[in-house]
């Protein structure tokens, strides 16, 4: 048992697969088609740019988490480096992000399952999926780890197989496949590598940035592993090849198998269209199964992540104390139940008020990923000095070119947020997402500041009372 009431129930194989699977979100399969339509083959540069950003942010987080592995991860680091208000704010915003994701993923999974078994209504499937994964998380951290090991394993094998099969087809050596449209010439033949100009790379960044959220889950889970420091170090060091292979590798294969402007990419989705172009039977059903696995993986990890953040907030006095209590199996039951209840409420809003309340929830949590990354940057700038002063031997992972690369990363995140403000198309435009997310963030920060002032006032009163009591004792003596 770890000292904070959680059990070290995650094995190294669980952590390895959680680290790999956390990078591969359902957004990679579902959202990549709109990115390809927007930027053409240049979407590879968009993925490379965001991938580089994630690698740098995870390096900073890895430095802090290897020195101090905790279920609160960046929220706990921000608490110490920037102040209680920062840990409180980013912790609750991150929790909010994931409970909204629960509703999004439960609905996405329910749509696929309803297509296979229409006798059960979509809301029924969403309910079943949420209940099953809640039960899994309530049993023990080991059962979460086991489910995630297999969910993530399927994703990894599927993308690996897709890359191998696709590469053989592009090279013209895949037996029995229709490869008349395939070839690396697709990268430049149809209007050039950047058919919509260099500006489309930045537009592509806005479309792909959110599919990377989840890469930080391994640092939260490390606190419940057998060797937290080793787990964090390993996942941090391997993130470059994980993003390179699974994101850049698979998207490269998609745009090489088909011309970027092939209408089937938008109609069927990029991966299904790519498999269909080779004449592979039941490509749609195969991909739906893989997307369902990704959705369940994201749902499983989302519930785990939200509950552990709530647990950490409870430990630090920033959430109800009940959230910090664990069962005899080391499970923070109240934190899990509270997270899933909000998830159920969000699912209800999705079916009852999809274009008002739920749209607000999605938009107002949309930019939280970028806020989290920004807070990680500023926390690391302070934490490096704290660690060096207190325990320099704990710096087993170091951010490259500190502090210059940290400042450059923070600048790039601010630039992306600024660029999102120029996107005004649609109900979920970049501007709407940033402004609503800033509104929610401002409310949470205001609550944190008021809470800190009230707590400070109480501390001052208690200190004054103790001083008066001591003075009385002295005068009596």
């Amino acid at each position: 048992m770890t000292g904070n009431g959680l059990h070290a129930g995650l094995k190294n194989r669980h952590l390895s697969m959680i680290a790999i699977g956390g990078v591969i979100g359902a957004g990679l399969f579902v959202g990549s088609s709109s990115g390809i339509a927007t930027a053409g083959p240049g979407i590879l540069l968009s993925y490379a740019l965001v991938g580089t950003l994630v690698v740098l942010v995870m390096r900073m987080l890895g430095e802090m988490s290897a020195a101090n592995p905790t279920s609160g991860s960046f929220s706990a680091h921000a608490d110490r480096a920037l102040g209680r208000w920062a840990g409180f704010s980013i912790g609750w915003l991150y929790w909010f992000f994931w409970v909204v994701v629960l509703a999004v993923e439960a609905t996405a999974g329910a749509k696929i399952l309803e297509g296979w078994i229409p006798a059960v209504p979509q809301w029924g499937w969403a309910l079943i999926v949420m209940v099953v994964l809640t039960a899994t998380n309530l049993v023990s951290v080991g059962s979460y780890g086991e489910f995630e090991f297999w969910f993530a394993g399927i994703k990894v094998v599927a993308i690996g197989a897709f890359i191998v099969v696709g590469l053989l087809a592009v090279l013209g050596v895949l037996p029995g496949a229709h490869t008349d449209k395939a070839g690396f010439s697709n990268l430049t033949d149809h209007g050039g590598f950047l058919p919509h100009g260099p500006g489309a790379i930045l537009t592509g960044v806005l479309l792909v940035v959110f599919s990377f959220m989840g890469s930080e889950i391994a640092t939260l889970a490390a606190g419940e592993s057998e060797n937290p420091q080793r787990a964090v170090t390993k996942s941090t060091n391997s993130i470059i090849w994980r993003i390179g292979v699974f994101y850049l590798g698979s998207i490269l294969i998609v745009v090489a198998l088909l011309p970027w402007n092939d209408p089937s990419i938008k109609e069927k989705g990029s991966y299904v269209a790519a498999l269909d172009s080779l004449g592979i039977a039941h490509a749609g059903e195969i991909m739906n199964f893989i997307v369902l696995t990704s959705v369940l993986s994201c749902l499983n990890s989302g519930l785990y992540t939200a509950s552990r953040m709530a647990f950490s907030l409870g430990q630090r006095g920033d959430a109800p104390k009940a959230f910090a209590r664990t069962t005899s199996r080391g499970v923070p039951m109240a934190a899990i139940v509270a997270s899933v209840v909000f998830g159920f409420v969000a699912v209800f809003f999705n079916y009852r008020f999809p274009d008002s309340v739920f749209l607000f929830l999605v938009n107002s949590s949309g930019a939280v990923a970028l806020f989290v990354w920004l807070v990680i940057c500023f926390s690391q700038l302070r934490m490096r000095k704290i660690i060096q002063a207190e325990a320099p031997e704990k710096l087993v992972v170091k951010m490259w070119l500190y502090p210059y690369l940290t400042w450059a990363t923070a600048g790039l995140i601010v630039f992306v947020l600024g660029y999102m403000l120029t996107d005004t198309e649609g109900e979920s435009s970049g501007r709407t997402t940033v402004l609503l997310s800033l509104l929610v963030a401002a409310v949470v920060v205001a609550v944190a500041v008021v809470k800190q002032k009230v707590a400070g006032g109480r501390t001052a009163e208690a200190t004054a009372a103790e001083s008066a009591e001591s003075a009385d004792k002295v005068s009596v003596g």
Side-chain angles (χ1 to χ4, degrees), residues 281-304:
H282 310 296
E285 288 86 345
I286 293 167
M287 216 62 223
N288 267 341
F289 172 72
I290 294 163
V291 170
L292 177 64
T293 306
S294 289
V295 162
L296 294 177
S297 168
C298 195
L299 195 57
N300 192 35
S301 284
L303 183 52
Y304 171 82

Side-chain angles (χ1 to χ4, degrees), residues 1 5-7 138-142 224 326-333:
M1 182 186 286
L6 299 174
H7 284 201
L138 284 171
V139 171
S140 71
V141 68
E224 291 175 82
T326 57
T327 65
S328 58
R329 294 186 301 275
V331 173
M333 185 180 287

Side-chain angles (χ1 to χ4, degrees), residues 38-220:
T38 301
I43 195 66
L44 285 164
L45 296 180
S46 304
Y47 273 104
L49 193 60
V50 179
T52 302
L53 188 63
V54 172
V55 166
L56 294 173
V57 170
M58 287 308 110
R59 186 77 187 179
M60 295 177 222
L61 182 55
E63 176 180 300
M64 295 185 288
S65 295
N68 180 28
T70 168
S71 58
S73 189
F74 50 83
S75 171
H77 304 321
D79 195 306
R80 187 158 184 226
L82 306 176
R84 290 294 299 274
W85 68 271
F88 176 98
S89 304
I90 207 65
W92 276 114
L93 285 170
Y94 191 68
W95 179 86
F96 173 55
F97 171 85
W98 278 110
V99 291
V100 172
V101 166
L102 293 184
V104 174
E105 301 295 346
T107 306
K111 280 180 184 172
I112 295 172
L113 288 164
E114 188 194 27
W116 292 344
I117 308 173
V120 179
Q122 201 180 109
W123 65 266
W125 278 120
L127 186 67
I128 291 167
V129 163
M130 290 274 274
V131 167
V132 169
L133 292 177
T134 302
T136 304
N137 273 266
L138 284 171
V139 171
S140 71
V141 68
S143 62
Y144 153 72
E146 201 60 38
F147 264 71
E148 193 53 28
F149 177 80
W150 292 105
F151 284 153
I154 291 169
K155 286 192 290 187
V156 170
V157 169
I159 293 192
F162 175 82
I163 291 172
V164 170
V165 168
L167 185 60
L168 291 174
V170 171
L171 297 173
V173 293
L174 185 68
H178 306 296
T179 55
D180 48 311
K181 288 184 178 179
F184 286 116
S185 57
N186 281 329
L187 296 173
T188 53
D189 276 0
H190 307 276
F193 185 68
L194 294 169
H196 296 149
I201 297 170
L202 289 175
T203 310
V205 164
L206 305 189
L207 293 169
V208 306
V209 69
F210 303 109
S211 65
F212 281 86
M213 194 64 173
S215 45
E216 69 292 324
I217 291 173
T219 63
L220 280 97

Side-chain angles (χ1 to χ4, degrees), residues 189-464:
D189 276 0
H190 307 276
F193 185 68
L194 294 169
H196 296 149
I201 297 170
L202 289 175
T203 310
V205 164
L206 305 189
L207 293 169
V208 306
V209 69
F210 303 109
S211 65
F212 281 86
M213 194 64 173
S215 45
E216 69 292 324
I217 291 173
T219 63
L220 280 97
E224 291 175 82
S225 68
E226 294 156 348
N227 188 337
Q229 192 180 67
R230 179 176 174 272
V232 169
T233 306
K234 196 175 173 185
S235 66
T236 303
N237 290 337
S238 63
I239 195 162
I240 297 175
W241 72 260
R242 285 186 273 133
I243 288 175
V245 171
F246 297 121
Y247 276 86
L248 292 174
S250 63
I251 295 295
L252 173 64
I253 294 299
V254 169
V255 292
L257 285 174
L258 275 173
W260 67 269
N261 54 0
D262 193 300
S264 66
I265 290 179
K266 222 167 185 181
E267 288 164 17
K268 302 174 183 176
S270 48
Y271 289 81
V272 174
L275 289 175
D276 268 348
S277 73
L278 300 177
I280 293 174
H282 310 296
E285 288 86 345
I286 293 167
M287 216 62 223
N288 267 341
F289 172 72
I290 294 163
V291 170
L292 177 64
T293 306
S294 289
V295 162
L296 294 177
S297 168
C298 195
L299 195 57
N300 192 35
S301 284
L303 183 52
Y304 171 82
T305 306
S307 67
R308 288 332 186 256
M309 187 56 75
F311 168 83
S312 178
L313 288 165
Q315 268 195 320
R316 288 177 271 146
D318 290 336
K321 285 181 181 176
F323 287 6
R325 294 194 195 109
T326 57
T327 65
S328 58
R329 294 186 301 275
V331 173
M333 185 180 287
I336 291 174
V337 171
S339 301
V340 84
V341 163
F342 195 97
F344 277 125
V345 171
V347 168
F348 168 75
F349 285 145
N350 193 6
Y351 288 112
R352 191 75 183 83
F353 311 107
D355 299 322
S356 53
V357 181
F358 189 69
L359 189 65
F360 170 80
L361 289 176
V362 171
N363 284 336
S364 61
S365 64
V368 166
L370 292 165
F371 295 166
V372 166
W373 295 348
L374 201 54
V375 166
I376 288 171
C377 292
F378 291 127
S379 297
Q380 190 264 339
L381 284 168
R382 294 288 302 278
M383 278 298 285
R384 168 66 77 90
K385 292 172 183 170
I386 294 170
I387 298 166
Q388 278 178 328
E390 294 180 359
E393 72 280 358
K394 288 187 175 180
L395 278 172
V396 290
V397 175
K398 282 188 178 183
M399 175 59 182
W400 306 294
L401 297 177
Y402 167 86
Y404 310 109
L405 208 46
T406 302
W407 279 112
T409 306
L412 185 56
I413 295 167
V414 171
F415 174 76
V416 170
L417 284 165
Y419 191 77
M420 285 177 75
L421 292 172
T422 66
D423 173 31
T424 56
E425 289 182 27
E427 291 177 314
S428 294
S429 67
R431 178 177 292 181
T432 304
T433 299
V434 170
L435 293 178
L436 286 179
S437 296
L438 282 172
L439 174 67
V440 171
V443 170
V444 176
V445 170
V447 171
V449 171
V450 169
K451 182 179 178 297
Q452 194 168 335
K453 282 190 175 176
V454 169
R458 283 181 190 155
T459 305
E461 284 174 19
T463 305

Side-chain angles (χ1 to χ4, degrees), residues 28-39:
L28 174 63
F29 300 108
V30 180
S32 52
S33 53
S34 55
I36 292 169
T38 301

